[in-house]
Amino acid sequence: MRTIALEEHFATPAFLSGPGHAMAEQARAAGGGRIIDMLGDLGEGRIAAMDQAGIDVQVLSLTAPGVEQMPPHDAVLLARDTNDHLAAAVDRHPDRFAAFATVATAAPDKAAEELERVVREHGFKGVLINGHTQGRYLDDEFFWPILERAEALGVPIYLHPTPPPRQVIKASYVGNYPGEVADILATSAWGWHIETATHVLRIVLSGAFDRYPGLQFVVGHMGEGLSFMMPRFEQIMSHVVKLERPLGAYFSDNLHYTFAAFNWTPTFLNLLLQVGADRILFATDHPYGSMENARSFLDRLPVSRSDSERIAHGNAERLLGF
C-alpha cells in the first residue's frame, strides 16, 4: 500500500544558526543531537529510513519555529533560501520527496509572491505556517493575501503548532511546579495543540472560508483535539455567529487532518466518526515521531481496505495533486 506522509520535517544550516538555534541547542543538551542530524538529512540516509519503515513519499516542511517570529526582511530572505534548498532536494529525489513552502508571514504580500513562485517554478504542494506571527493570528485580514493566493493556486495551508505567546504561557501554564514542567505543558504535552485548535476556530469564525470558499487547511496530531469539541462548538456558537454555512460544514469542507505521531486508536476513531475517512491523511512527524510506529498504526486501523487506501495515499493525491 502506497504511503504519502504530510508532516515530515527538515532544517537547513542557515535555519539552525538563526531562528532554530535555541531549539537545536536545547535538543543537543538533552541528548537529541541525532534529531538535528536527521533534520538536516535530505538524502540517502532519510530515504533508507523511509524504505525501512515503508514510507513511499515525504512531503517536507521546515521544522518549527520556522520564520514566523522573525523580522519581515530577515524572514523573506530565509524563506527564499529555505525553499531553494528544499527544491534542490526534491529535484534530486522527485519520486520520494515533495515540498511545503516556507513563507514570511510577517510580510504577507511577499509571502504570497513566494508561495506562487515555488508552486509554479518548483511544483510545491502547499505551504506550512507555524501558528501565530508574533502574537497575530490568521483570522487577522492582514494575513489574508496568503490565504487568497493559496486558494487561487489550489494548494493547502498546513497549520502547524508553535508555542503560545509569552504572555499566554505566563498566565496559563506557569504554575506550582518547576519551570521545565511548565515549558512542556505549554508546548508538546498540551499548549501548542490547544493553541493550534483555537487558531483554527478563529479562522472559521472570522469568515475567512466564506471569503475564500475553496481554501483548504490541514491540521496535524489527529486534529489537535478539534474533533472531540466539534459538536459542542457548533451547538453553542451557531447561536451567536452568522456565517454562510453551518459551522460543522467548515470542518468537513475546508479542513483536513493528519496523524502526525498521534498513533492511538480511540483518538483516531473519534476523528473518523466526526469527519469521515475522506478528510484524514497519513503523517509520521519525522524525526520527532517514529516512521515505523506510524506505518504500523496505519496498517492496524480498524477501517475497510478502501478507507485505509484513502488515508494512506488517496486523500493526499487528491488534495495535493500527485
Side-chain angles (χ1 to χ4, degrees):
M1 182 168 62
R2 188 181 190 217
T3 53
I4 300 174
L6 268 74
E7 188 179 318
E8 317 305 312
H9 302 295
F10 79 100
T12 67
F15 171 80
L16 292 173
S17 63
H21 177 73
M23 176 274 294
E25 289 301 309
Q26 289 171 0
R28 292 189 180 101
R34 184 167 177 269
I35 284 181
I36 303 304
D37 293 338
M38 288 191 289
L39 284 169
D41 182 359
L42 291 176
E44 297 305 325
R46 184 183 289 249
I47 290 173
M50 292 166 61
D51 289 342
Q52 183 175 344
I55 309 300
D56 293 296
V57 178
Q58 284 191 344
V59 184
L60 299 164
S61 53
L62 180 65
T63 192
V67 303
E68 286 76 11
Q69 310 311 318
M70 298 178 70
H73 177 73
D74 296 340
V76 167
L77 295 178
L78 184 56
R80 187 179 182 94
D81 176 78
T82 300
N83 291 331
D84 288 345
H85 184 96
L86 181 53
V90 174
D91 286 345
R92 290 192 298 269
H93 305 284
D95 296 331
R96 308 306 302 274
F97 296 151
F100 283 142
T102 299
V103 298
T105 50
D109 290 336
K110 295 290 186 182
E113 292 172 6
E114 177 63 5
L115 177 58
E116 179 149 6
R117 179 184 78 89
V118 295
V119 169
R120 296 200 182 282
E121 293 183 11
H122 299 296
F124 278 30
K125 302 299 184 181
V127 56
L128 184 139
I129 294 175
N130 291 284
H132 63 86
T133 299
Q134 301 172 30
R136 299 177 74 178
Y137 294 80
L138 294 175
D139 63 291
D140 189 329
E141 294 190 23
F142 172 78
F143 299 107
W144 286 15
I146 304 171
L147 278 57
E148 180 180 28
R149 194 66 57 92
E151 184 197 39
L153 292 167
V155 298
I157 297 173
Y158 199 120
L159 188 60
H160 187 272
T162 205
R166 178 53 53 185
Q167 63 269 29
V168 175
I169 294 175
K170 183 178 179 180
S172 297
Y173 296 104
V174 174
N176 187 25
Y177 32 75
E180 57 267 27
V181 174
D183 290 342
I184 299 301
L185 177 63
T187 54
S188 57
W190 183 262
W192 67 27
H193 305 296
I194 302 307
E195 169 83 7
T196 307
T198 302
H199 197 161
V200 170
L201 299 182
R202 291 177 62 146
I203 295 167
V204 170
L205 294 173
S206 74
F209 292 125
D210 290 342
R211 178 84 67 88
Y212 310 112
L215 179 63
Q216 300 296 306
F217 266 69
V218 185
V219 293
H221 309 113
M222 288 297 183
E224 310 288 9
L226 283 168
S227 63
F228 180 82
M229 291 297 295
M230 278 180 195
R232 175 69 169 179
F233 177 77
E234 186 171 11
Q235 177 191 44
I236 301 299
M237 295 304 297
S238 62
H239 299 294
V240 295
V241 63
K242 302 301 179 185
L243 297 171
E244 294 179 4
R245 289 175 278 159
L247 283 171
Y250 300 97
F251 295 105
S252 60
D253 296 347
N254 297 97
L255 291 170
H256 303 258
Y257 312 84
T258 75
F259 294 9
F262 272 47
N263 302 319
W264 300 299
T265 301
T267 310
F268 167 78
L269 289 174
N270 178 262
L271 178 62
L272 178 70
L273 291 169
Q274 287 295 336
V275 305
D278 287 342
R279 288 278 154 173
I280 304 174
L281 304 98
F282 181 62
T284 79
D285 205 7
H286 176 80
Y288 308 107
S290 164
M291 287 192 283
E292 290 88 349
N293 289 349
R295 177 58 202 260
S296 176
F297 179 68
L298 173 68
D299 291 337
R300 300 193 314 271
L301 289 180
V303 298
S304 67
R305 176 70 182 186
S306 60
D307 281 349
S308 184
E309 292 276 0
R310 289 186 186 96
I311 292 167
H313 64 90
N315 294 336
E317 290 163 350
R318 173 170 48 85
L319 176 64
L320 304 181
F322 277 98

